[in-house]
């Protein structure tokens, strides 16, 4: 069993100990405002506000893992006539190391390595609200004799228009320039910009130590017309760099520091900053600040405190270590990352603008982060509702810098419907999750414009948040096909089932049902009985239709095509059963008990594997333009019968609603990345975050994961674990306690912060049941129900719950 690292829960880190991981494993720093990701060998992709239009470092994800990507650090010592040049981050020089650790932390990555008797301990992070990536580098001479050492941090810049960098190799290099700003004390700020931004927005690289010389041109740095390589730059065999200020070309920033003679045991601290500002002048105060080690310490401590607060919303102690690791640390972290980056920027979602902030995706992300980051969740909700159309349907995605919104992949097929039938309905789930968590009902009255703009660029209509939600319901209520089910539009949650106009979606029918349930609860909370009644009627109508026309005998079908033929039926050759078709009728409240049980059994017998539940089966074997994107994949991959992890959580939630705690937890564990640490060579992606997909058992590489980090899996696994398995659910009237756990668990504990109070909850399970509560005691007083009251006053409470 090969492992590449281990979980260090006490320090809230995963520690990679072998840099030769199957694929790069990454971590995020900063936010969309300024930040990006750092891979575990020190490469960094950094951008500000938008990876498509304001990208800073050039990180080409598709290059081999051994290649330089975006940033690195070189160290060098003299060895006779030559310099020994190596990177303490392993890449790109690939020298043999004595020790290599990459600590994947919350908001930071720390690389600790030992090469040739030199220890380097570097922490990469972006201060809260900061506009600079800090590398706090401590270099120690571990040897017995003094060592003369140079340190050369390097960044390779991209044109801010990230795609142009690759589509125009004349315009881009003609515009890219660098200038050095030397300070009286010998420090240097190396400034970089495309010509048109010279007076409005510049990037810079600087440090806290004296810089003798620098380089800003890649060709000069690598040498020999770039027949010198990143693994052994020829300029680093010279005593000094050329101090060339690039007038064009491929711009880099490289600062050479002569660290001098380090005594045995001596450490030097080099702090670099890669930042962006309106001008050098505007950048100087922050530059000076972060040259002070004490300020860097303080910024790092603030980051730590942010994560203390973030995680404090929910801490669990269960009998399952892998669950604890994820719920308490890494899954919570991933939820914040998806909230920030949507599906925009990762090793797989390359951020060139093909996708922006997704309406459906971000709505779901809000649900996973709302307990810990309610303010950010609300800000994102405002933006999302701002791209909802007057009809109630939504634009599929938007660019966060320009707020330009688009219809997504539908644009590639103008003859197809130009909306996704599910998008707008997700905002109902997200807004109500926010309201239940916070009690901030004033948000419902906030006025937000609809997307459409007049000739003057101003919105033509606005409505309250509640109007937006009601229009979302109204759109689907009226957008029906021949069976009275919602039309599919370009697609539903499954982007890749793109049927001819007129097709109907059971997924959207069920999501509409779930959204109606949320709207009914909200209307009741507001005392609006008329509205509650109206929505109850609508729910009942759709429930009837779904059960009349979509039951296939042993499970529900998932679509009707434009000719009224079912997909997801045993009549079909491929795609006989789709998982969402089974879990969602339970989530919507449409499935009667017997059908719910049958549908869940069908999932188990036809779709479950030892590594997760497949999205559908059997896979389509051949491209069929009439079915759409799903048939572009070989059987077993992605939406075509792959294990699409996101949907596994809906089954888990459905299982808990049906009271099946053993099954729910079995399904939860079989996809928990933290329990794959020992078989990671098969899985390949990071063991500390969820991936989007795993190849299914129809594929020869069954078990291989891809598209880690930015997936709805983050939010739904967090919701499934915290609200449905552990069963601590926010409602308008308090915290509901309704666990559904393996019968073998003796109990568990949770500390939950909710509406300003802290609940210390101890659940015991003396009778070995999966579900059911026989006693609930709050602060020593027995309650008649399992709803914990709202305290809202910063107070702490003890809660004892006995299952049975
Ligand atoms: C990707 C998309 C998501 C979609 C899913 C299924 O995860 O980000 O929006 O629902 O694929 O097609």
């Amino acid at each position: 069993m090969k492992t590449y690292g281990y979980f260090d829960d006490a320090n809230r880190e995963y520690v990679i100990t072998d840099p030769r991981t199957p694929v790069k494993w990454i971590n995020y720093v900063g936010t969309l405002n300024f930040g990006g990701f750092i891979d575990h060998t020190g490469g960094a992709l950094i951008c500000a506000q938008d990876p498509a239009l304001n990208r800073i470092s050039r990180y080409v994800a598709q290059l081999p893992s051994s290649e330089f990507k975006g940033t690195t650090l070189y160290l060098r010592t003299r060895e006779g006539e030559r310099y020994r040049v190596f990177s303490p981050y392993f890449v790109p020089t690939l020298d043999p190391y004595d020790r290599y650790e990459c600590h994947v932390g919350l908001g930071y990555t720390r690389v600790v390595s030992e090469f040739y008797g030199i220890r380097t301990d570097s922490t990469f992070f972006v201060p809260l609200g900061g506009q600079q990536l800090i590398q706090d580098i401590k270099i120690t001479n571990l040897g017995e004799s003094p060592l003369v050492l140079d340190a050369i941090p390097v960044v390779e810049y991209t044109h801010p228009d990230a795609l142009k960098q690759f589509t125009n190799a004349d315009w881009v290099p003609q515009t890219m320039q660098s200038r050095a700003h030397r300070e009286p004390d010998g420090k240097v700020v190396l400034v970089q910009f495309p010509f048109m931004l010279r007076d409005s927005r510049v990037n810079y690289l600087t440090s806290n130590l004296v810089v003798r010389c620098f380089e800003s041109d890649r060709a000069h740095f690598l040498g020999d017309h770039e027949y010198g390589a990143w693994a052994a730059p020829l300029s680093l065999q010279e005593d000094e760099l050329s101090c060339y200020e690039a007038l064009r070309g491929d711009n880099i920033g490289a600062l050479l520091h002569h660290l001098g003679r380090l005594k045995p045991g001596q450490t030097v601290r080099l702090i670099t900053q890669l930042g962006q500002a309106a001008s050098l002048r505007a950048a100087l105060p922050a530059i000076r600040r972060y040259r002070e080690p004490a300020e860097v310490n303080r910024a790092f401590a603030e980051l730590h405190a942010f994560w203390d607060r973030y995680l404090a919303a929910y801490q669990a102690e269960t009998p399952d270590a892998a669950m604890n690791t994820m719920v308490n640390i890494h899954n919570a972290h991933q939820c914040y990352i998806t909230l920030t980056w949507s599906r925009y920027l990762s090793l797989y979602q390359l951020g060139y603008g093909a996708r922006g902030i997704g309406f459906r995706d971000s709505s779901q992300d809000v649900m996973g982060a709302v307990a810990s980051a309610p303010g950010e969740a609300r800000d994102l909700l405002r933006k999302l509702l701002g791209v909802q159309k007057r009809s109630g349907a939504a634009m599929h995605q938007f660019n966060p810098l320009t707020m330009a919104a688009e219809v997504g992949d539908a644009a590639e097929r103008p003859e197809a419907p130009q909306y996704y039938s599910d998008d707008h309905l997700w905002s109902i789930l997200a807004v109500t999750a926010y309201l239940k968590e916070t009690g901030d009902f004033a948000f419902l009255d906030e006025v937000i414009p609809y997307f459409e703009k007049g000739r003057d660029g101003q919105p033509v209509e606005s409505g309250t948040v509640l109007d937006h939600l009601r229009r979302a319901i109204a759109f689907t209520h009226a957008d029906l096909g021949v069976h009275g089910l919602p039309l599919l539009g370009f697609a539903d949650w499954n982007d890749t089932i793109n049927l001819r106009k007129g097709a109907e979606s059971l997924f959207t029918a069920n999501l509409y049902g779930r959204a109606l349930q949320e709207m009914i609860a909200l209307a009741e909370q507001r005392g609006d009985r008329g509205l509650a009644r109206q929505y109850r009627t609508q729910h009942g109508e759709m429930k009837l239709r779904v059960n009349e026309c979509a039951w296939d005998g042993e499970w529900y079908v998932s679509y009707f095509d434009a000719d009224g033929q079912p997909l997801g039926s045993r009549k079909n050759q491929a795609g006989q059963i789709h998982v969402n078709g089974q879990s969602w009728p339970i989530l919507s409240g449409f499935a009667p008990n017997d059908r719910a049980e049958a549908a869940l059994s069908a999932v188990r017998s036809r779709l479950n594997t030892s590594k997760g539940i497949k999205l559908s089966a059997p896979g389509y074997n051949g491209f069929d333009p009439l079915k759409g994107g799903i048939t572009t994949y070989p059987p077993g991959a992605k939406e075509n019968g792959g294990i699409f992890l996101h949907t596994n959580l809906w089954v888990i939630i459905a299982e808990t609603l049906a009271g099946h705690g053993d099954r729910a937890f079995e399904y939860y564990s079989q996809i928990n990345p933290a329990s794959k640490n020992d078989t990671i060579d098969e899985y390949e992606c990071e063991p500390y975050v969820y991936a989007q997909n795993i190849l299914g058992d129809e594929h020869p590489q069954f078990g291989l994961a891809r598209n880690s980090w930015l997936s709805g899996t983050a939010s739904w696994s967090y919701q499934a674990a915290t609200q449905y398995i552990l069963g601590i659910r926010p409602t308008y009237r308090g915290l509901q306690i309704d666990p559904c756990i393996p019968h073998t668990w003796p109990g568990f504990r949770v500390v939950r912060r909710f509406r300003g109070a802290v609940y210390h909850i101890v659940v015991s399970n003396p009778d070995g049941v999966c579900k059911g509560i026989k006693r609930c005691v709050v602060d020593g007083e027995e309650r008649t129900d399992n709803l914990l009251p709202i305290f809202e006053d910063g107070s702490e409470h003890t809660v004892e719950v006995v299952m049975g």
Side-chain angles (χ1 to χ4, degrees):
M1 271 188 316
K2 174 114 180 73
T3 59
Y4 296 86
Y6 60 92
F7 287 91
D8 178 357
D9 287 358
N11 287 310
R12 304 193 302 210
E13 291 177 342
Y14 181 86
V15 186
I16 300 166
T17 50
D18 179 345
R20 293 182 192 82
T21 53
V23 290
K24 289 277 184 189
W25 290 358
I26 67 166
N27 190 18
Y28 285 79
V29 290
T31 65
L32 186 56
N33 192 43
F34 185 95
F37 66 76
I38 311 284
D39 73 36
H40 72 286
T41 56
L45 197 168
I46 300 298
C47 60
Q49 288 140 28
D50 179 9
L53 299 177
N54 188 3
R55 191 177 293 220
I56 297 171
S57 63
R58 197 188 311 181
Y59 186 104
V60 184
Q62 295 100 327
L63 292 177
S65 295
S66 53
E67 302 269 317
F68 170 88
K69 292 178 186 173
T71 55
T72 195
L73 170 69
Y74 293 96
L75 298 181
R76 69 176 192 179
T77 54
R78 235 213 201 282
E79 296 281 315
E81 288 299 289
R82 292 180 53 78
Y83 284 101
R84 166 180 279 154
V85 178
F86 69 96
S87 171
Y89 306 153
F90 188 58
V91 172
T93 60
L94 310 179
D95 286 51
Y97 54 85
D98 296 318
R99 175 180 175 198
Y100 190 88
E101 285 169 12
C102 173
H103 298 244
V104 177
L106 301 175
Y108 68 92
T109 280
R110 175 176 166 222
V111 177
V112 183
S113 69
E114 293 174 13
F115 289 82
Y116 308 115
I118 298 162
R119 176 183 304 146
T120 308
D121 183 337
S122 294
T123 302
F124 299 69
F125 74 103
V126 173
L128 292 178
Q131 289 284 330
Q132 55 287 103
L133 171 68
I134 289 182
Q135 264 189 70
D136 182 7
I137 308 162
K138 292 162 191 150
I139 305 166
T140 306
N141 176 6
L142 298 177
E144 278 161 16
S145 36
L147 200 64
V148 178
L149 202 65
D150 293 340
I152 309 97
V154 180
V155 54
E156 182 178 21
Y157 291 106
T158 170
H159 190 276
D161 184 331
L163 201 52
K164 283 262 168 59
Q165 176 68 51
F166 294 107
T167 56
N168 194 325
D170 184 28
W171 183 74
V172 166
Q174 299 290 12
T175 69
M176 298 283 273
Q177 301 195 331
S178 293
R179 293 283 175 276
H181 170 74
R182 290 171 184 275
E183 299 185 54
D185 60 0
K187 291 173 192 142
V188 168
V189 186
L190 199 48
V191 175
Q192 194 280 332
F193 45 83
F195 183 72
M196 66 187 283
L197 296 179
R198 181 192 63 190
D199 304 320
S200 57
R201 196 176 79 196
V202 299
N203 302 319
Y204 61 87
L205 178 70
T206 189
S207 67
N208 64 329
L209 301 181
V210 169
V211 167
R212 179 76 67 79
C213 57
F214 58 84
E215 185 53 75
S216 62
D217 181 278
R218 190 178 74 184
H220 287 203
F221 185 71
L222 298 179
D224 246 0
H225 302 300
E226 302 207 335
Y227 288 91
W230 286 109
L234 295 176
S235 67
L236 293 182
Q237 289 304 329
E238 307 292 330
D239 288 341
E240 304 295 345
L241 297 173
S242 75
C243 292
Y244 179 71
E245 294 172 71
L247 300 169
R248 61 174 309 288
D250 290 299
N251 281 208
I252 65 165
L255 302 175
L256 196 153
H257 305 85
H258 296 298
L259 299 178
R261 181 179 293 266
L262 267 68
K263 291 190 289 235
Q266 189 184 340
T267 300
V268 278
R269 188 166 174 184
L270 167 66
I271 300 166
T272 68
Q273 302 177 45
L274 170 64
Q276 186 178 85
S279 62
L280 171 63
R281 216 185 133 101
L284 279 176
I287 288 177
R288 301 219 162 101
R289 175 167 171 206
Y290 292 119
R291 281 181 178 155
E292 298 302 325
E295 289 292 332
V296 172
N297 294 349
R298 188 190 331 194
F300 191 64
E302 282 169 8
L303 182 66
H304 219 72
F306 168 86
W307 282 102
D308 287 344
R309 283 194 303 277
Y310 189 94
L311 297 180
Y314 200 113
Q315 286 291 297
E317 215 182 288
T318 79
D320 188 76
M323 183 185 213
N324 297 344
T325 297
M326 292 308 285
V327 167
N328 296 338
I329 306 167
H330 300 284
N331 192 185
H333 180 209
Q334 189 181 357
C335 285
Y336 186 68
I337 297 302
T338 58
L339 184 80
T340 303
W341 296 97
S342 191
R343 306 297 168 271
Y344 214 175
L345 186 69
S346 75
L347 273 185
Y348 308 94
Q349 314 283 359
L350 298 176
Y352 290 111
R355 306 183 58 144
I357 301 296
F359 196 95
R360 150 199 316 140
D361 297 324
S362 289
S363 297
Q364 294 171 74
D365 298 341
V366 162
M367 301 171 78
V370 73
S372 296
E376 287 174 60
R378 187 192 48 223
D379 293 347
L380 184 53
L381 285 173
R382 285 194 186 112
K383 288 187 184 158
L384 291 169
L385 294 175
V387 299
Q388 185 182 11
K389 293 188 284 185
R390 296 157 80 195
S391 66
M395 299 301 285
H396 193 57
Q397 59 190 28
F398 64 88
N399 175 302
L401 194 58
T402 59
M403 283 305 287
E406 298 132 34
V407 293
D409 287 349
E412 289 167 23
R413 295 191 26 207
E415 78 290 357
Q418 296 293 297
Y419 68 98
Y420 290 70
S421 56
D422 64 322
D423 272 339
H424 52 288
L425 295 169
W426 292 108
S427 63
I428 295 178
L429 272 56
V431 170
T432 52
Y434 169 75
L435 297 175
K436 284 187 269 189
E437 181 66 38
T438 60
D440 174 16
F441 292 103
F443 183 58
L444 282 173
D445 301 325
E446 223 176 278
V447 175
I448 294 181
Y450 290 97
F451 174 67
E452 287 89 347
K453 313 276 183 299
R455 278 211 208 110
D456 56 0
Q458 293 306 308
V460 290
E461 194 185 350
S462 297
T464 63
V465 169
L466 185 62
D467 281 340
H468 280 259
L469 304 189
R470 292 185 58 170
R471 283 201 196 185
I473 293 285
F475 180 85
T476 302
H477 181 64
D479 193 46
L480 306 176
V482 290
H483 295 87
L485 298 169
L487 289 168
L488 172 64
F490 181 72
D492 58 23
W493 173 88
N494 187 331
D495 282 334
T496 66
I497 296 196
N498 315 121
L499 305 172
R500 250 187 325 119
K501 200 169 182 159
E504 291 162 289
S505 160
L506 270 302
F507 180 86
T508 302
N510 284 305
L511 178 60
Y512 169 72
R514 176 90 180 181
L516 280 168
Q517 285 181 328
E518 293 295 353
M519 291 303 284
I520 294 165
L522 180 62
E524 280 170 352
Q525 166 66 23
R526 289 166 55 89
D528 189 343
R529 288 214 215 127
L531 194 62
R533 197 173 322 116
Q534 179 194 330
Y535 286 155
R536 228 179 262 118
T537 307
Q538 288 181 214
H539 188 270
E541 285 165 1
M542 189 57 73
K543 178 174 178 172
L544 204 67
R545 276 176 226 152
V546 165
N547 282 296
E548 266 173 14
C549 64
W551 185 249
D552 198 51
E554 288 171 68
W555 60 83
Y556 286 98
V557 303
S558 287
Y559 301 89
F560 289 103
D561 68 16
D563 303 322
Q565 292 306 309
L567 273 79
S569 157
R570 69 187 129 178
K571 290 192 210 138
N572 302 127
Q573 254 195 337
Q576 287 177 348
I577 172 168
H578 294 241
V579 73
N580 293 339
Q582 319 319 317
S583 52
W584 272 88
I586 302 171
L587 270 60
S588 64
F590 287 169
N593 283 347
D594 56 334
R595 288 189 175 181
E597 289 295 335
L600 289 172
S601 304
V603 168
R604 182 143 187 104
S605 58
R606 294 180 178 257
L607 295 174
N608 189 41
T609 76
S610 57
K611 302 177 208 295
I613 302 165
K614 297 184 279 186
L615 189 57
S616 58
Y620 291 95
N621 199 352
F623 177 59
D624 176 355
L626 294 178
K627 297 278 180 317
I630 187 168
T631 64
T632 61
Y633 295 109
K638 293 272 285 189
E639 281 97 333
N640 190 18
I643 299 166
F644 216 94
L645 290 165
H646 192 147
T647 64
N648 282 232
L649 287 312
W650 293 330
V651 176
I652 292 169
I653 294 173
E655 291 283 3
T656 66
L657 295 176
H660 305 155
D662 292 322
R663 236 198 234 172
F665 194 72
E666 179 191 333
Y667 289 162
Y668 178 81
S669 293
Q670 74 189 3
I671 59 164
N672 187 345
S675 46
K676 296 182 193 291
N677 202 38
D678 296 342
T679 53
I680 211 79
D681 266 334
E682 170 185 275
Y683 181 81
E684 294 202 347
C685 282
E686 297 93 332
Y688 47 87
V689 288
Y690 285 93
Q692 180 214 53
N693 70 87
I694 297 179
L695 290 174
D697 58 5
E698 287 182 80
H699 196 285
Q701 282 169 288
F702 178 40
L704 180 91
R706 279 295 181 272
N707 205 351
S708 54
W709 284 97
L710 301 186
S711 161
T713 315
S715 167
W716 285 102
S717 54
Y718 193 70
Q719 292 180 68
T722 58
Q723 298 191 31
Y724 292 92
I725 296 177
L726 303 181
I728 298 172
R729 261 200 297 284
T731 73
Y732 295 116
R733 292 182 304 118
L735 261 189
Q736 192 188 347
I737 311 288
D738 184 22
C740 186
I741 58 174
H743 76 278
T744 50
W745 279 17
F748 63 90
R749 290 162 179 269
V750 168
V751 182
R752 175 70 157 95
R753 268 168 216 266
F754 176 65
R755 309 247 191 131
V758 183
Y759 300 74
H760 298 268
I761 304 165
V762 180
V763 179
S764 60
N765 185 22
D767 302 340
V769 300
C770 289
K771 197 171 173 134
I773 283 180
K774 62 181 184 197
R775 224 167 103 83
C776 177
V777 180
V778 180
D779 295 330
E781 259 178 60
E782 177 129 17
R783 295 190 59 85
T784 50
D785 57 14
N786 57 349
L787 196 65
L788 311 184
I790 297 170
F791 294 103
E792 275 182 350
D793 55 0
S795 53
E796 306 229 351
H797 305 273
T798 59
V799 182
E800 289 162 63
V801 177
V802 183
M803 294 178 69

